Coordinates of all heavy atoms in Angstrom, one line a residue:
E774 N 26.6 -14.0 -20.2 CA 27.0 -14.0 -18.8 C 28.3 -13.2 -18.5 O 28.9 -13.3 -17.5 CB 27.3 -15.5 -18.3 CG 26.1 -16.4 -18.3 CD 25.0 -15.9 -17.5 OE1 25.2 -15.3 -16.4 OE2 23.8 -16.0 -18.0
V775 N 28.6 -12.3 -19.5 CA 29.7 -11.4 -19.3 C 29.2 -9.9 -19.3 O 28.4 -9.5 -20.1 CB 30.7 -11.5 -20.5 CG1 31.8 -10.5 -20.4 CG2 31.2 -12.9 -20.6
N776 N 29.6 -9.2 -18.3 CA 29.2 -7.8 -18.1 C 29.6 -6.9 -19.3 O 30.8 -7.1 -19.8 CB 29.7 -7.2 -16.8 CG 29.1 -7.8 -15.6 OD1 28.2 -8.7 -15.7 ND2 29.5 -7.4 -14.4
L777 N 28.8 -6.1 -19.7 CA 29.1 -5.2 -20.9 C 29.6 -3.9 -20.4 O 29.2 -3.3 -19.4 CB 27.8 -5.0 -21.7 CG 27.2 -6.3 -22.4 CD1 25.9 -5.9 -23.0 CD2 28.2 -6.9 -23.4
S778 N 30.5 -3.3 -21.3 CA 31.0 -2.0 -21.1 C 30.4 -1.0 -22.0 O 30.9 0.2 -22.1 CB 32.6 -2.0 -21.2 OG 32.9 -2.5 -22.5
L779 N 29.4 -1.3 -22.7 CA 28.8 -0.4 -23.6 C 28.1 0.8 -22.8 O 27.7 0.6 -21.7 CB 27.7 -1.1 -24.5 CG 28.2 -2.1 -25.5 CD1 27.0 -2.8 -26.2 CD2 29.0 -1.4 -26.6
P780 N 27.9 1.9 -23.5 CA 27.3 3.0 -22.8 C 25.9 2.7 -22.3 O 25.1 2.2 -23.1 CB 27.3 4.2 -23.8 CG 28.3 3.8 -24.8 CD 28.4 2.3 -24.8
V781 N 25.6 2.9 -21.1 CA 24.2 2.6 -20.5 C 23.7 3.9 -19.8 O 24.4 4.6 -19.1 CB 24.3 1.5 -19.4 CG1 23.0 1.3 -18.8 CG2 24.8 0.2 -20.1
N782 N 22.5 4.2 -20.1 CA 21.8 5.3 -19.5 C 20.7 4.8 -18.6 O 19.7 4.2 -19.0 CB 21.2 6.2 -20.6 CG 20.5 7.4 -20.1 OD1 20.8 7.8 -19.0 ND2 19.6 8.0 -20.8
T783 N 20.9 5.0 -17.3 CA 20.0 4.6 -16.2 C 19.5 5.8 -15.4 O 20.3 6.6 -15.0 CB 20.7 3.6 -15.3 OG1 21.2 2.5 -16.0 CG2 19.7 3.1 -14.2
S784 N 18.2 5.9 -15.3 CA 17.6 7.0 -14.6 C 16.5 6.5 -13.7 O 16.1 5.3 -13.8 CB 17.0 8.0 -15.6 OG 16.0 7.5 -16.4
H785 N 16.0 7.3 -12.7 CA 15.0 6.9 -11.8 C 14.1 8.0 -11.4 O 14.5 9.2 -11.4 CB 15.6 6.2 -10.6 CG 16.3 7.2 -9.6 ND1 17.6 7.6 -9.8 CD2 15.7 7.9 -8.6 CE1 17.9 8.4 -8.8 NE2 16.8 8.7 -8.1
T786 N 12.9 7.7 -11.1 CA 11.9 8.6 -10.5 C 11.2 7.9 -9.3 O 11.4 6.7 -9.2 CB 10.9 9.1 -11.5 OG1 10.2 7.9 -12.0 CG2 11.5 9.9 -12.6
Q787 N 10.5 8.6 -8.5 CA 9.8 8.0 -7.4 C 8.3 8.2 -7.5 O 7.9 9.3 -7.8 CB 10.3 8.6 -6.0 CG 11.1 7.5 -5.2 CD 11.5 8.0 -3.9 OE1 12.1 9.1 -3.7 NE2 11.3 7.2 -2.9
T788 N 7.6 7.2 -7.3 CA 6.1 7.2 -7.4 C 5.6 7.8 -6.1 O 6.3 7.9 -5.1 CB 5.5 5.8 -7.6 OG1 5.8 5.0 -6.4 CG2 6.1 5.2 -8.8
P789 N 4.3 8.2 -6.1 CA 3.7 8.8 -4.9 C 3.8 7.9 -3.6 O 3.9 8.4 -2.5 CB 2.3 9.1 -5.3 CG 2.3 9.3 -6.7 CD 3.4 8.4 -7.2
N790 N 3.8 6.6 -3.8 CA 3.8 5.7 -2.7 C 5.3 5.3 -2.3 O 5.5 4.4 -1.5 CB 3.0 4.4 -2.9 CG 3.4 3.6 -4.2 OD1 4.4 4.0 -4.8 ND2 2.7 2.6 -4.5
G791 N 6.2 5.9 -3.0 CA 7.6 5.8 -2.6 C 8.4 4.8 -3.3 O 9.7 4.6 -3.1
L792 N 7.8 4.0 -4.3 CA 8.6 3.1 -5.1 C 9.5 3.8 -6.1 O 9.2 4.9 -6.5 CB 7.6 2.2 -5.9 CG 6.8 1.2 -5.1 CD1 5.9 0.4 -6.0 CD2 7.7 0.2 -4.3
Y793 N 10.7 3.2 -6.3 CA 11.6 3.7 -7.4 C 11.2 3.1 -8.7 O 11.1 1.9 -8.9 CB 13.0 3.4 -7.0 CG 13.6 4.3 -5.9 CD1 13.7 3.8 -4.6 CD2 14.1 5.5 -6.2 CE1 14.2 4.6 -3.6 CE2 14.6 6.4 -5.2 CZ 14.6 5.9 -3.9 OH 15.2 6.7 -2.9
K794 N 11.0 3.9 -9.7 CA 10.8 3.5 -11.1 C 12.1 3.7 -11.8 O 12.5 4.8 -12.1 CB 9.7 4.3 -11.7 CG 9.4 3.9 -13.1 CD 8.2 4.7 -13.7 CE 7.8 4.2 -15.1 NZ 6.7 5.0 -15.7
I795 N 12.8 2.6 -12.1 CA 14.2 2.7 -12.7 C 14.1 2.3 -14.2 O 13.5 1.2 -14.5 CB 15.1 1.8 -11.9 CG1 15.2 2.3 -10.5 CG2 16.5 1.8 -12.6 CD1 16.2 1.5 -9.6
T796 N 14.7 3.1 -15.0 CA 14.7 2.8 -16.5 C 16.2 2.8 -16.9 O 16.9 3.7 -16.6 CB 14.0 3.9 -17.2 OG1 12.6 4.0 -16.7 CG2 13.9 3.6 -18.7
S797 N 16.5 1.7 -17.6 CA 17.9 1.6 -18.1 C 17.9 1.2 -19.6 O 17.1 0.4 -20.0 CB 18.6 0.5 -17.3 OG 20.0 0.4 -17.7
T798 N 18.7 2.0 -20.4 CA 18.8 1.8 -21.8 C 20.2 1.6 -22.3 O 21.1 2.2 -21.8 CB 18.2 3.0 -22.5 OG1 16.9 3.3 -22.1 CG2 18.2 2.8 -24.0
I799 N 20.4 0.6 -23.2 CA 21.7 0.3 -23.7 C 21.6 0.4 -25.2 O 20.6 0.0 -25.9 CB 22.2 -1.1 -23.3 CG1 23.6 -1.3 -23.8 CG2 21.3 -2.2 -23.8 CD1 24.3 -2.6 -23.2
K800 N 22.7 1.0 -25.8 CA 22.7 1.3 -27.3 C 23.8 0.6 -27.9 O 24.8 0.1 -27.3 CB 22.7 2.8 -27.5 CG 21.6 3.6 -27.0 CD 21.7 5.0 -27.4 CE 20.5 5.8 -26.9 NZ 20.6 7.3 -27.3
G801 N 23.8 0.5 -29.3 CA 24.9 0.0 -30.0 C 25.0 -1.5 -29.9 O 26.2 -2.1 -29.9
I802 N 23.9 -2.3 -29.8 CA 24.0 -3.7 -29.6 C 23.8 -4.4 -30.9 O 23.4 -3.9 -31.9 CB 23.0 -4.2 -28.5 CG1 21.5 -3.7 -28.9 CG2 23.3 -3.6 -27.2 CD1 20.7 -4.8 -29.6
D803 N 24.1 -5.7 -30.9 CA 24.0 -6.6 -32.1 C 22.6 -7.2 -32.1 O 22.1 -7.7 -31.2 CB 25.0 -7.7 -32.0 CG 25.0 -8.6 -33.2 OD1 24.1 -8.5 -34.1 OD2 26.0 -9.4 -33.3
M804 N 21.9 -7.0 -33.3 CA 20.5 -7.5 -33.4 C 20.4 -9.0 -33.2 O 19.3 -9.5 -32.8 CB 20.0 -7.1 -34.8 CG 18.6 -7.5 -35.1 SD 18.0 -7.1 -36.8 CE 18.1 -5.3 -36.7
N805 N 21.4 -9.7 -33.5 CA 21.3 -11.2 -33.5 C 21.7 -11.8 -32.1 O 21.6 -13.0 -31.9 CB 22.2 -11.8 -34.6 CG 21.8 -11.4 -36.0 OD1 20.6 -11.4 -36.3 ND2 22.8 -11.1 -36.8
Q806 N 22.0 -10.9 -31.2 CA 22.4 -11.4 -29.9 C 21.3 -11.2 -28.8 O 20.5 -10.3 -29.0 CB 23.7 -10.7 -29.4 CG 24.9 -11.0 -30.2 CD 25.4 -12.5 -30.1 OE1 25.3 -13.0 -29.0 NE2 25.8 -13.1 -31.2
R807 N 21.3 -12.0 -27.8 CA 20.4 -11.8 -26.7 C 21.1 -11.2 -25.5 O 22.3 -11.5 -25.2 CB 19.9 -13.2 -26.2 CG 18.8 -13.1 -25.1 CD 18.3 -14.5 -24.8 NE 17.8 -15.2 -26.0 CZ 17.9 -16.5 -26.2 NH1 18.6 -17.2 -25.4 NH2 17.4 -17.0 -27.3
Y808 N 20.5 -10.2 -24.8 CA 21.1 -9.5 -23.8 C 20.3 -9.6 -22.5 O 19.0 -9.9 -22.5 CB 21.2 -8.0 -24.1 CG 22.2 -7.8 -25.3 CD1 21.7 -7.9 -26.6 CD2 23.5 -7.4 -25.1 CE1 22.6 -7.7 -27.7 CE2 24.3 -7.2 -26.1 CZ 23.9 -7.3 -27.4 OH 24.8 -7.1 -28.5
N809 N 20.9 -9.5 -21.4 CA 20.2 -9.5 -20.1 C 20.5 -8.2 -19.3 O 21.6 -7.7 -19.2 CB 20.7 -10.7 -19.2 CG 20.2 -12.0 -19.7 OD1 20.1 -12.3 -20.9 ND2 19.9 -12.9 -18.7
C810 N 19.4 -7.6 -18.8 CA 19.5 -6.5 -17.9 C 19.2 -7.0 -16.5 O 18.3 -7.8 -16.3 CB 18.5 -5.4 -18.3 SG 16.8 -5.8 -18.2
V811 N 20.1 -6.6 -15.6 CA 20.0 -7.2 -14.2 C 19.8 -6.0 -13.2 O 20.6 -5.0 -13.2 CB 21.4 -7.9 -13.9 CG1 21.3 -8.5 -12.5 CG2 21.7 -9.0 -14.9
F812 N 18.8 -6.2 -12.4 CA 18.5 -5.2 -11.3 C 19.1 -5.8 -10.0 O 18.7 -6.9 -9.5 CB 17.0 -5.0 -11.1 CG 16.4 -4.2 -12.2 CD1 16.3 -4.7 -13.5 CD2 16.0 -2.9 -12.0 CE1 15.7 -3.9 -14.5 CE2 15.5 -2.1 -13.0 CZ 15.3 -2.6 -14.3
W813 N 20.0 -5.1 -9.4 CA 20.7 -5.6 -8.2 C 20.2 -4.7 -7.0 O 20.4 -3.6 -6.9 CB 22.2 -5.4 -8.3 CG 23.0 -5.5 -7.0 CD1 23.8 -4.6 -6.5 CD2 23.0 -6.5 -6.1 NE1 24.4 -5.0 -5.4 CE2 23.9 -6.2 -5.0 CE3 22.3 -7.8 -6.0 CZ2 24.1 -7.0 -3.9 CZ3 22.5 -8.6 -4.8 CH2 23.4 -8.2 -3.9
N814 N 19.4 -5.4 -6.1 CA 18.8 -4.8 -4.9 C 19.7 -5.1 -3.8 O 19.6 -6.2 -3.2 CB 17.3 -5.2 -4.7 CG 16.6 -4.4 -3.7 OD1 17.2 -3.8 -2.8 ND2 15.3 -4.3 -3.8
K815 N 20.5 -4.2 -3.4 CA 21.5 -4.5 -2.3 C 20.9 -4.8 -1.0 O 21.3 -5.8 -0.3 CB 22.5 -3.3 -2.2 CG 23.6 -3.6 -1.2 CD 24.5 -2.3 -1.2 CE 25.6 -2.5 -0.2 NZ 26.5 -1.3 -0.1
E816 N 19.9 -4.1 -0.6 CA 19.2 -4.3 0.7 C 18.6 -5.7 0.8 O 18.6 -6.3 1.9 CB 18.2 -3.2 0.9 CG 18.7 -1.8 1.0 CD 19.6 -1.6 2.2 OE1 19.4 -2.2 3.2 OE2 20.6 -0.8 2.0
L817 N 18.0 -6.2 -0.3 CA 17.4 -7.5 -0.3 C 18.4 -8.6 -0.6 O 18.1 -9.8 -0.6 CB 16.2 -7.6 -1.2 CG 14.9 -7.1 -0.7 CD1 14.9 -5.6 -0.5 CD2 13.8 -7.4 -1.7
N818 N 19.6 -8.2 -1.0 CA 20.6 -9.2 -1.5 C 20.0 -10.0 -2.6 O 20.0 -11.3 -2.6 CB 21.1 -10.1 -0.4 CG 22.3 -10.9 -0.8 OD1 23.1 -10.5 -1.7 ND2 22.5 -12.1 -0.2

Side-chain angles (χ1 to χ4, degrees):
E774 300 304 320
V775 177
N776 291 359
L777 295 175
S778 57
L779 293 173
V781 175
N782 181 19
T783 301
S784 61
H785 72 272
T786 58
Q787 251 184 310
T788 63
N790 59 2
L792 290 175
Y793 283 98
K794 183 179 182 180
I795 299 179
T796 304
S797 185
T798 304
I799 188 171
K800 296 181 179 181
I802 55 96
D803 185 348
M804 180 183 295
N805 299 317
Q806 293 293 322
R807 184 179 303 144
Y808 296 82
N809 284 42
C810 61
V811 183
F812 286 72
W813 164 235
N814 193 332
K815 183 178 180 181
E816 297 296 326
L817 275 68
N818 190 29

